[in-house]
Amino acid sequence: MRTIVKGKNLDVAEDDRRFVASKMERLERFLDDRSEAVVELSVEHHRDADDTRIVEVSLRVDGHPLRAVARAVSWKAATDEVIDRMQLALFCQPFDSGDLFAFGGDGQNQT
């Protein structure tokens, strides 16, 4: 699986990039070598400091898009949460329709 880690209006530190890439390796057992994952890190400034770091993962599985988003205090916590959501989606989701399947920031699945 090929993983692209990028920042939305920010430069991603090399430590964060390596951490995200190592966590994405947990998904490799579900995917083949043709899969490509795009991980986008961003910051949202607002009064609630608990949800300022956002990690968004988008990938294609057998031609079907799969997306998950997590918000947390740090990118490491958000990365752990989004990887858990992706594992759940990959393990439980039957890919028999062409619809986008996503886990949003509230933990509810959305189609």
Side-chain angles (χ1 to χ4, degrees):
M1 178 174 70
R2 191 174 127 204
T3 303
I4 300 168
V5 181
K6 62 182 183 176
K8 185 175 184 179
N9 298 325
L10 62 96
D11 291 329
V12 179
E14 193 60 35
D15 290 340
D16 292 328
R17 188 178 305 275
R18 279 194 302 265
F19 180 79
V20 170
S22 70
K23 289 295 182 173
M24 289 297 292
E25 290 175 1
R26 286 174 40 191
L27 300 177
E28 284 186 2
R29 62 184 158 160
F30 299 109
L31 305 171
D32 58 7
D33 291 337
R34 298 174 296 162
S35 301
E36 178 178 292
V38 178
V39 182
E40 187 173 82
L41 287 79
S42 61
V43 178
E44 200 173 80
H45 299 285
H46 50 78
R47 290 184 180 182
D48 187 15
D50 292 341
D51 294 335
T52 58
R53 304 289 192 250
I54 302 167
V55 177
E56 189 174 320
V57 178
S58 302
L59 60 96
R60 276 201 175 288
V61 179
D62 295 330
H64 301 281
L66 184 67
R67 184 175 167 273
V69 178
R71 294 170 177 81
V73 176
S74 69
W75 278 309
K76 290 183 179 183
T79 301
D80 286 335
E81 187 176 332
V82 80
I83 295 299
D84 290 342
R85 289 180 183 178
M86 276 293 201
Q87 277 185 313
L88 180 65
L90 286 170
F91 186 70
C92 298
Q93 175 64 21
F95 292 105
D96 56 358
S97 67
D99 296 335
L100 173 70
F101 185 81
F103 277 97
D106 59 356
Q108 300 294 321
N109 59 348
Q110 305 163 352
T111 54

